[in-house]
Amino acid sequence: MDVAFASNVVYPFITGGAQKRIHEIGTRLADEGHNVTIYGRHFWDGPTETTHEGIRLRAVAPGTDLYTDERRSITEAIDFAVRLAPKLRGRLGEHDLVVASVFPYFPVLSSKLTALGTDTPLVTTWHEVWRDYWNDYLGNLAFGGKLVERVTARVPQHPIAVSGITADRLSQIGPSRDAIEVVPNGIDVEQIRTAPIPETSYRTNGEPGFDVLFAGRLIADKRVDVLLDAFDRVAEDHDATLGVIGDGPEVERLQNQASTLDNAERVTFLGFLDEYEDVLGHMRAADVFASPSTREGFGITFAEAMAADCTVIAANHPESAASEVLGDAGFLVEPSSEKLARTLDRALRGESPTGNPLQRAQDFDWDTVATRAEAAYQRAIDGRWMDK
């Protein structure tokens, strides 16, 4: 098959979950002999058309800033969508299908307009469906976000969701649930299992790493404030330390909160780590990975932590797909300081979930995910999308 991905950002030149998914699936498709092209912004060095790890890269627009005041730039997304249409239209005959990620939404709309009047199917990958979350994200401008999301959901497409909860949300504003394929995000289990352990020790016994670890963007939905309070309740009993990896708009508030804890000296903020393997190494060194996030369209860090053989604790919340990722291979808890502290205490005492984290993590290995994506793409090409 010949696959065209429409993505304003291209991995590894710009890092992020959606573009990494395209890269991991795309490189495996290329290894299988399929032709893969990414239409994106020119963030790489060299000519506007080049080949990287078996994937053809075609620049349809120059590189530019993607964020405005820590929010994804709407004007950037519109600009890319406008520039994408003529470049993709001129090459559409080369491809068997177009795959566009959501969000941003405008490139999806542009890709669909480009494919009108042709037999080229449009496959969309929905990483999240925001609905009322737009109120928190845009405030008084939320109506516009909701409208564009709903319009995008109702465009004729072959939708893929990264989790069942995302598929359920999507079905509430667009296609029927039966029409939505679920293909999760993935991890490289071997890379995680062989990531170098950090040399620095933050534990009182001199062993490397932390007893408890969090990794993720420091935003309100991650509920790191709950984790800090819960950790403070059990830290002294277990002589434990907590590492917080990540950055974001909540970092200053969380650091101030941590400084007031009884066990403030046991908490370390590492900030954003440039090297992905450094994050994985800290996961391998940790005993417990805890993230009481109340909003997860998928939750890739849970899969990574299971592969690193951590005891994983996540929030049991209707807006989180953590339960889908963990199954019985981790602990699910109400996202409150008291409940989380009890579960942290159990985990630090050595209690394990009933399921096998390493075995569960294999379900999300990129090889497995790419095989599922390839099958879905072929069904779209063959007109058998509903035949799952």
Side-chain angles (χ1 to χ4, degrees), residues 293-310:
S293 175
T294 55
R295 186 175 184 84
E296 292 289 348
F298 178 71
I300 193 68
T301 55
F302 301 134
E304 292 167 335
M306 286 192 295
D309 204 18
C310 284

Side-chain angles (χ1 to χ4, degrees), residues 51-114:
T51 300
H52 179 75
E53 296 189 26
I55 299 176
R56 181 187 297 111
L57 306 181
R58 284 184 177 147
V60 304
T64 188
D65 291 335
L66 300 172
Y67 288 86
T68 301
D69 296 329
E70 297 196 2
R71 291 186 176 92
R72 284 296 295 267
S73 170
I74 297 174
T75 55
E76 182 280 322
I78 295 174
D79 175 75
F80 176 74
V82 170
R83 294 171 183 261
L84 170 67
K87 296 290 182 68
L88 182 58
R89 182 72 182 185
R91 300 276 195 164
L92 197 60
E94 299 176 11
H95 309 301
D96 295 316
L97 80 163
V98 177
V99 182
S101 293
V102 185
F103 77 38
Y105 305 107
F106 298 105
V108 175
L109 301 175
S110 178
S111 297
K112 185 59 185 180
L113 287 173
T114 299

Side-chain angles (χ1 to χ4, degrees), residues 246-266:
D247 200 353
E250 292 282 294
V251 61
E252 185 174 348
R253 185 181 71 84
L254 292 170
Q255 288 174 336
N256 290 336
Q257 177 188 349
S259 69
T260 67
L261 301 177
D262 293 337
N263 295 281
E265 74 283 356
R266 297 176 181 269

Side-chain angles (χ1 to χ4, degrees), residues 231-240 262-263 266:
F231 173 78
D232 199 38
R233 295 175 183 229
V234 302
E236 190 170 354
D237 289 343
H238 297 279
D239 204 15
D262 293 337
N263 295 281
R266 297 176 181 269

Side-chain angles (χ1 to χ4, degrees), residues 2-207:
D2 193 303
V3 183
F5 288 98
S7 175
N8 55 343
V9 286
V10 180
Y11 185 92
F13 312 103
I14 301 292
T15 58
Q19 52 266 40
K20 181 174 175 60
R21 177 189 174 99
I22 292 172
H23 174 81
E24 297 293 347
I25 292 175
T27 52
R28 284 164 174 78
L29 291 177
D31 288 343
E32 292 292 323
H34 301 295
N35 295 319
V36 180
T37 304
I38 300 177
Y39 291 81
R41 286 192 176 274
H42 192 192
F43 284 110
W44 59 88
D45 294 330
T48 56
E49 182 166 331
T50 188
T51 300
H52 179 75
E53 296 189 26
I55 299 176
R56 181 187 297 111
L57 306 181
R58 284 184 177 147
V60 304
T64 188
D65 291 335
L66 300 172
Y67 288 86
T68 301
D69 296 329
E70 297 196 2
R71 291 186 176 92
R72 284 296 295 267
S73 170
I74 297 174
T75 55
E76 182 280 322
I78 295 174
D79 175 75
F80 176 74
V82 170
R83 294 171 183 261
L84 170 67
K87 296 290 182 68
L88 182 58
R89 182 72 182 185
R91 300 276 195 164
L92 197 60
E94 299 176 11
H95 309 301
D96 295 316
L97 80 163
V98 177
V99 182
S101 293
V102 185
F103 77 38
Y105 305 107
F106 298 105
V108 175
L109 301 175
S110 178
S111 297
K112 185 59 185 180
L113 287 173
T114 299
L116 285 178
T118 74
D119 295 328
T120 307
L122 171 66
V123 173
T124 53
T125 305
W126 289 79
H127 291 268
E128 282 199 79
V129 178
W130 281 15
R131 298 178 304 171
D132 289 341
Y133 182 66
W134 281 107
N135 296 328
D136 297 331
Y137 193 73
L138 288 181
N140 293 332
L141 299 177
F143 173 77
K146 292 179 181 180
L147 177 62
V148 175
E149 181 176 65
R150 186 174 291 271
V151 168
T152 304
R154 296 187 176 188
V155 163
Q157 61 193 273
H158 302 287
I160 291 176
V162 300
S163 66
I165 191 171
T166 298
D168 292 342
R169 292 172 184 159
L170 178 58
S171 68
Q172 294 171 10
I173 62 171
S176 69
R177 181 62 178 84
D178 290 342
I180 305 169
E181 177 82 76
V182 175
V183 179
N185 283 325
I187 57 175
D188 187 328
V189 173
E190 183 178 358
Q191 179 187 17
I192 295 170
R193 298 297 298 154
T194 58
I197 299 290
E199 297 180 0
T200 304
S201 172
Y202 296 92
R203 303 186 194 209
T204 57
N205 63 6
E207 293 182 4

